Amino acid sequence: MLEVVTGGREALDMALALPYDLVLMDMQMPGLDGLAATRRIRQLPDWADRPIVAMTANAFEDDRRACRDAGMDDFITKPIHWETSARWFRPAG
């Protein structure tokens, strides 16, 4: 199942509601940014090891470090490159 949210608070609410297999988190979102949302999600039960992957146009090393420090597992820059995203997207079945 794929679901899209428009802000970090909504991402946090969705993580509270369902045990998603993967979260693609933008760094810049209204209300609660992706870094703050990730920190809060990581504090939830059952979310310590679930993958959260940054998907952002911010491509500097400082951005990557900020994502890792917030608890994200990987970093995919826009536009999306299959080599990086193949680690996280697998065919269902």
Side-chain angles (χ1 to χ4, degrees):
M1 169 176 26
L2 173 68
E3 303 208 50
V4 178
V5 301
T6 58
R9 180 71 220 175
E10 192 177 354
L12 179 57
D13 291 342
M14 296 298 286
L16 281 164
L18 294 169
Y20 290 95
D21 294 326
L22 170 69
V23 171
L24 297 176
M25 184 72 74
D26 199 339
M27 288 181 72
Q28 298 177 359
M29 294 187 292
L32 187 65
D33 70 29
L35 300 174
T38 297
R39 286 185 195 98
R40 291 187 184 182
I41 289 171
R42 286 294 186 214
Q43 295 174 354
L44 299 175
D46 300 324
W47 277 94
D49 297 323
R50 292 186 185 272
I52 301 175
V53 177
M55 187 174 71
T56 181
N58 299 355
F60 295 107
E61 185 55 37
D62 288 346
D63 299 315
R64 290 176 184 271
R65 189 175 311 110
C67 290
R68 279 192 308 269
D69 290 348
M72 295 185 197
D73 298 289
D74 205 349
F75 191 94
I76 299 173
T77 56
K78 299 176 189 175
I80 304 296
H81 297 282
W82 178 248
E83 299 81 29
T84 304
S85 58
R87 283 185 286 221
W88 302 105
F89 303 110
R90 293 182 183 86

